[in-house]
Amino acid sequence: MALSESQLKKMLGKYKYRDLTVQETTSVITQYKDLKPVMDAYVFNDGSSRDLMSLTGTIPVPYRGNTYNIPICLWLLDTYPFNPPICFVKPTSSMTIKTGKHVDANGKIYLPYLHEWKHPQSDLIGLIQIMIVVFGEEPPVFSRPTISASYQPYQATGPPNTSYMPGMPSGISPYPPGHPPNPSGYPGYPYPPGGPFPATTSGQHYPSQPPVTTVADARRKQKQVWICGHSYVFWAEKRALVRSFGPQLGIRVEDAKLHWIGKSGMMWDQLIPTLFHARRRLPDPDVLVIHLGGNDLGTTKFVDLIIRIKKDLGFIKHTFKNVILVWSNIVPRKAWNQEETYRFMDKNRKKVNREIGNFMKFIGGCVIRHDSLVPESPGLFHLDGVLLSQSGTDVFNLDLLSVLETLI
């Protein structure tokens, strides 16, 4: 039986940011019902202990066509969410830990997302989503061979103690130089000595793409381009099919293959599930164009929308290696379906475009501006004031082409 909000508040009575922690915990246990909040003593490296809450249970991880329940334990410091969780794989007696880039022999989990943790851009839902992707590529546990009776069972019960925690030499900060100090006074999120991640045969955190020897070779390689979004993308593909340039927008197939992923009425929270579904049938994108967010304006606070978009774009950047992200600006409309005033909606549209445009520069992405698609231009919008006309859709496609040509 799931704990109520009042029960969680009572459990987390000593947490400094109780309400924020309760809010995130409620979201997690609602979406991942096998994770349960548990209060127990956590033992730190220096032998001190403190009563902390953990989220313990399993998360569903797809691997080679099947879904596996991977046991994890996420310990939340009482300064959460301003400090990252301390995370472990928690194998049962029938499992053995598979060490790798992200999990050490004690089950401790290491991820760039944890290392770069910053509230409010980072949260538990985003962390779990990244774990699902990473563990789907490199499972952290495997079944213990039944014939290996001589193996000592791995104890998974009880709170972690010093045997879980890789030690750090005295005088070495758990964070790299320049990282803000930990206000809790805890040892923070310790990484093993010698670097922020466990040593591997490769110096990179994620598998690299095959090396490119020359610029000419890179240009000869066919790029995979995904164009994902709501009705504008859906109708853009339909329009391209009947135009002379076709669904490739005039781009040679030897240079790039365009894949259109358009859904009428698509909302932002459908983006990541849609991309994972497409990934089952398509090669990973070299360029990913995203035209979304317009349908979300007015349904949530624009600040919350911006935070969500930034977090998901960061997640996508981690998931699809070396992808170039392209933000297609939210286009102004003659009419908005929401009850808010036109002025209010257009003001928020501009704020979202500006914030995400700046963020794209930060992560090495690009922006399609659509400067010509304005309601004042006659003939560019459908009679409903929301969708583009055929002429407007042609302009939309030309805007796509102008940026794609610079990336291919």
Side-chain angles (χ1 to χ4, degrees):
M1 180 177 177
L3 292 178
S4 66
E5 185 173 320
S6 60
Q7 289 174 310
L8 283 173
K9 285 184 176 180
K10 184 177 180 181
M11 178 185 290
L12 297 170
K14 295 183 179 180
Y15 274 57
K16 296 180 181 179
Y17 309 101
R18 183 191 66 177
D19 291 347
L20 288 173
T21 307
V22 168
Q23 181 181 350
E24 281 202 37
T25 301
T26 301
S27 297
V28 169
I29 62 179
T30 299
Q31 185 166 339
Y32 298 97
K33 299 186 184 302
D34 287 335
L35 291 176
K36 309 295 182 186
V38 177
M39 204 73 183
D40 214 330
Y42 184 90
V43 181
F44 293 92
N45 281 352
D46 62 1
S48 64
S49 66
R50 185 163 297 190
D51 286 339
L52 298 176
M53 190 188 76
S54 69
L55 288 168
T56 302
T58 62
I59 54 175
V61 175
Y63 180 68
R64 294 183 179 177
N66 295 310
T67 299
Y68 298 89
N69 293 319
I70 302 299
I72 62 170
C73 180
L74 313 179
W75 287 89
L76 307 185
L77 297 173
D78 59 8
T79 52
Y80 185 86
F82 294 94
N83 289 95
I86 302 173
C87 307
F88 296 90
V89 174
K90 193 176 179 183
T92 64
S93 58
S94 63
M95 297 178 182
T96 297
I97 292 174
K98 183 177 184 295
T99 59
K101 293 186 293 294
H102 306 292
V103 179
D104 67 17
N106 295 309
K108 182 80 179 293
I109 298 171
Y110 302 88
L111 293 168
Y113 192 84
L114 286 168
H115 180 56
E116 299 162 6
W117 185 276
K118 184 179 180 181
H119 175 76
Q121 290 88 345
S122 307
D123 61 20
L124 291 173
I125 292 291
L127 171 62
I128 292 170
Q129 288 174 337
I130 288 178
M131 283 185 181
I132 289 172
V133 173
V134 170
F135 292 164
E137 297 175 353
E138 186 178 340
V141 294
F142 59 91
S143 298
R144 186 185 297 278
T146 55
I147 59 172
S148 303
S150 60
Y151 288 177
Q152 190 71 19
Y154 187 94
Q155 296 299 321
T157 58
N161 50 40
T162 52
S163 66
Y164 274 68
M165 308 291 291
M168 295 183 64
S170 60
I172 296 181
S173 169
Y175 287 92
H179 197 284
N182 186 342
S184 68
Y186 293 146
Y189 189 80
Y191 288 90
F197 298 98
T200 65
T201 54
S202 169
Q204 299 177 341
H205 305 326
Y206 294 92
S208 61
Q209 296 289 338
V212 177
T213 54
T214 67
V215 173
D217 289 339
R219 289 176 179 169
R220 282 196 293 269
K221 175 182 177 293
Q222 186 195 52
K223 300 289 182 64
Q224 300 296 319
V225 179
W226 293 11
I227 306 171
C228 184
H230 55 56
S231 300
Y232 281 28
V233 173
F234 177 84
W235 290 111
E237 180 187 17
K238 301 295 184 188
R239 181 63 176 166
L241 285 167
V242 300
R243 299 289 285 165
S244 59
F245 43 69
Q248 283 284 120
L249 299 181
I251 297 173
R252 297 192 316 158
V253 71
E254 293 87 355
D255 295 327
K257 175 63 177 173
L258 272 60
H259 305 278
W260 298 82
I261 310 169
K263 292 185 178 182
S264 296
M266 187 173 176
M267 305 288 283
W268 184 265
D269 62 6
Q270 296 175 275
L271 174 62
I272 289 178
T274 297
L275 295 180
F276 279 119
H277 186 266
R279 200 182 197 190
R280 298 175 184 175
R281 59 183 177 85
L282 299 175
D284 279 4
D286 299 292
V287 178
L288 173 57
V289 181
I290 300 171
H291 186 84
L292 272 178
N295 294 333
D296 296 86
L297 288 176
T299 65
T300 185
K301 293 180 180 179
F302 82 92
V303 173
D304 293 338
L305 178 60
I306 289 170
I307 291 171
R308 179 70 179 179
I309 291 173
K310 288 181 178 180
K311 186 191 74 173
D312 287 349
L313 291 176
F315 172 70
I316 293 167
K317 188 77 174 173
H318 277 303
T319 303
F320 297 98
K321 286 78 175 175
N322 300 327
V323 70
I324 298 174
L325 294 180
V326 181
W327 169 258
S328 175
N329 267 355
I330 301 173
V331 173
R333 300 178 179 182
K334 281 191 169 184
W336 297 88
N337 293 329
Q338 286 74 15
E339 296 179 357
E340 304 289 350
T341 66
Y342 179 88
R343 183 178 179 182
F344 175 86
M345 295 294 293
D346 199 56
K347 182 179 180 181
N348 285 349
R349 176 191 68 83
K350 291 177 180 177
K351 288 180 179 178
V352 172
N353 282 339
R354 183 171 60 251
E355 285 290 330
I356 302 306
N358 291 333
F359 183 71
M360 294 304 290
K361 295 177 185 177
F362 177 72
I363 63 173
C366 300
V367 175
I368 303 174
R369 294 177 56 86
H370 302 298
D371 288 335
S372 299
L373 292 173
V374 293
E376 294 78 18
S377 297
L380 295 183
F381 285 82
H382 192 270
L383 292 177
D384 65 4
V386 176
L387 297 177
L388 298 173
S389 65
Q390 289 185 347
S391 297
T393 304
D394 286 340
V395 174
F396 182 85
N397 280 337
L398 289 173
D399 287 344
L400 294 182
L401 176 62
S402 66
V403 171
L404 290 178
E405 283 181 327
T406 67
L407 301 175
I408 295 169

